[in-house]
Structure formats: C-alpha cells, structure tokens
Amino acid sequence: MRAELVHLRESTEKLRTVTWANEPVATLEDAVVEVATVRAMLESIECGVLAAYDASKEYKATGDTSAAARIAWLTHSRKSAAERRCRLGRQLRSMPHTVAAFELGAIGLDHVEVLAKANLPSLAVRFARDEELLVGYARELPYDEFWRKVSNWRDAVAPEDAEERALSQFEAREAHSSATFEGMGRVDAWLDRTARPSPQSRCCSPRSPGG
C-alpha cells in the first residue's frame, strides 16, 4: 500500500478525535466547507483508482463479473454506488477540465455526474469545445442553477437532424436498481421518448387483499 494512504488514515484518525461541539462556533462553517472540499478530492481519487482497477481486469482472478461487483462485496456497499464511480472514472479520461476541478475539490461528484451525462458520444466535439465553460458554471453557481445551465446547453447544441437528436436521447438512457428493506426494489431510470410510459400507464397495480 502506498505511504500516502497510510498517512491519510493516520490524519483521519487524528481528525476524528476532535470534539466539534467544543470548537469555537466561528470556526465550524469553515470546517464544514473544508471537510466537503477534502471529501470531493478523495472522491476524485477513488474514481481514478476504480477506473484503473476496472481496466486491469484484476477482479476476474476472484471470479467476479465486474470491478464494481468485487468492490461492493469487499466494502459491503451498494453495487450501484461502486458502478457509479467506476463509470465516472472511465468517462473522466476524456474530460480534462472536469478532472482538474474535481481533483482540487472545487466541484463534487454530483457536478461530475451532470457533466458526464452531457458528454454524450453524439455531443463529444461540442462538449470538448465548451467543457471549460460548463465547469466554470459548476465552480461558481448554486447547484440547481448549474444544472439548468448544463441542461440549457444540451438543448442548444443538440443535433438539429431528427435522427441525430434521437441518437442523443438514446445515448442518455440509463437505469439503476437496488434492493431496499424487506426485499423491495427501487429503480431509477432516464428513458428516451420511445421507452417512456404514458401518464395513463402504470408499471404495476396494487393487488387486492385476496390476490
């Protein structure tokens, strides 16, 4: 294991002994912001490590089907969370301005995901041209306003050709499922127009007491 990781754990062990309720009230806001910045920096490192681990295919030595599956098992975490970071780690390879801001903790994982969703194959050239501008929105604006700016950008640069626009929507599709309490399941998805159910349709209907 790299010495930097050992030092990181040692520093974290020291930090967790701080009793924040005893700290001067005037320092707490700065402490919260600093912790959030460091968290983002660590998440950028985690995405990079996961992407490298994924590319190495080392997980196959244990019979696992993916890097996310292996890491989720080792860390007792949700597979979807590991998949998210693996996916973003791969996508960040073509997003230099996003990487630079993420590594400094200037933007967080949620910002990175919004930017990665905008960097579709059909919009790659346009995204490369405007990435620095979009990252600037992430660094300077409240999150909701940043999200709207990126959404407006996608609408503005979306292909005018109907076939290319349909391809852009198709590329943006994604779905994630996870188990919840007592065996229930939760599904989050972005669908294109052809797959989106109508307002009148239902994916399921309540069962009667007898059925």
Side-chain angles (χ1 to χ4, degrees):
M1 182 181 295
R2 290 194 62 94
E4 292 89 344
L5 287 173
V6 175
H7 297 156
L8 175 63
R9 176 177 282 275
E10 291 173 351
S11 296
T12 305
E13 290 286 351
K14 292 177 183 178
L15 189 61
R16 73 180 182 85
T17 64
V18 175
T19 303
W20 295 105
N22 296 337
E23 293 296 300
V25 173
T27 68
L28 294 179
E29 183 176 288
D30 288 342
V32 170
V33 173
E34 187 64 20
V35 169
T37 299
V38 172
R39 182 184 67 237
M41 295 171 73
L42 286 174
E43 285 178 332
S44 76
I45 295 169
E46 184 182 13
C47 286
V49 174
L50 274 169
Y53 179 65
D54 182 42
S56 75
K57 308 299 181 184
E58 181 65 19
Y59 56 86
K60 291 186 177 181
T62 54
D64 287 281
T65 57
S66 69
R70 176 65 176 168
I71 296 303
W73 186 83
L74 288 172
T75 59
H76 312 291
S77 58
R78 291 172 55 191
K79 182 182 175 184
S80 59
E83 287 174 335
R84 180 192 190 197
R85 285 165 169 77
C86 278
R87 171 174 49 80
L88 292 176
R90 291 191 297 267
Q91 291 175 293
L92 283 168
R93 292 170 183 156
S94 62
M95 302 168 64
H97 294 290
T98 305
V99 169
F102 196 21
E103 289 178 342
L104 293 174
I107 63 175
L109 197 66
D110 290 337
H111 296 103
V112 172
E113 185 156 43
V114 171
L115 292 166
K117 286 180 178 177
N119 188 23
L120 299 172
S122 60
L123 302 179
V125 173
R126 298 174 179 89
F127 183 87
R129 180 196 65 199
D130 295 336
E131 182 187 3
E132 187 173 8
L133 172 68
L134 298 174
V135 171
Y137 294 150
R139 298 177 69 132
E140 298 167 7
L141 299 177
Y143 180 83
D144 287 347
E145 190 173 346
F146 153 71
W147 184 91
R148 285 193 294 271
K149 286 282 190 180
V150 176
S151 179
N152 290 340
W153 175 86
R154 281 188 57 176
D155 288 342
V157 302
E160 295 182 2
D161 179 81
E163 186 174 342
E164 290 186 6
R165 182 181 290 270
L167 175 60
S168 175
Q169 293 174 343
F170 181 82
E171 290 169 346
R173 298 183 312 163
E174 62 176 348
H176 303 282
S177 65
S178 58
T180 60
F181 184 61
E182 292 186 343
M184 294 290 289
R186 173 174 175 165
V187 177
D188 297 301
W190 286 94
L191 306 176
D192 62 9
R193 294 185 179 184
T194 60
R196 182 174 59 85
S198 66
Q200 291 77 26
S201 66
R202 295 182 295 177
C203 65
C204 57
S205 57
R207 292 184 297 178
S208 64

